[in-house]
Amino acid sequence: MEAHRVPSCSFAGDESSLLEAMRERRPGAQAAFFERYARPVARTITRVLGPDLERDDVCQEAFAAALTSLHLL
């Protein structure tokens, strides 16, 4: 997965701080979430699917599902 560079956000703290910022829809919170977890998610997807050409699409779907499920956390 090609890493998309976003400016570092002020959510360098723990996961609960980032989650709170995302729930409050603070600017940059979603970008910080993606920046923090994109590589580990992509690695996991690659381990499961192999070098699949649709890996980026699956990763995007995973993040979309996570963002729409914030209220469940």
Side-chain angles (χ1 to χ4, degrees), residues 20-62:
E20 180 181 334
M22 290 172 56
R23 284 183 176 154
E24 293 173 357
R25 300 180 188 268
R26 285 193 239 157
Q30 289 183 357
F33 176 71
F34 181 81
E35 185 176 283
R36 185 177 293 182
Y37 295 108
R39 287 184 184 215
V41 168
R43 281 193 302 268
T44 300
I45 290 169
T46 299
R47 280 195 301 270
V48 172
L49 298 179
D52 192 291
L53 295 176
E54 294 183 18
R55 179 191 67 192
D56 290 346
D57 292 336
V58 174
C59 189
Q60 183 176 356
E61 289 174 21

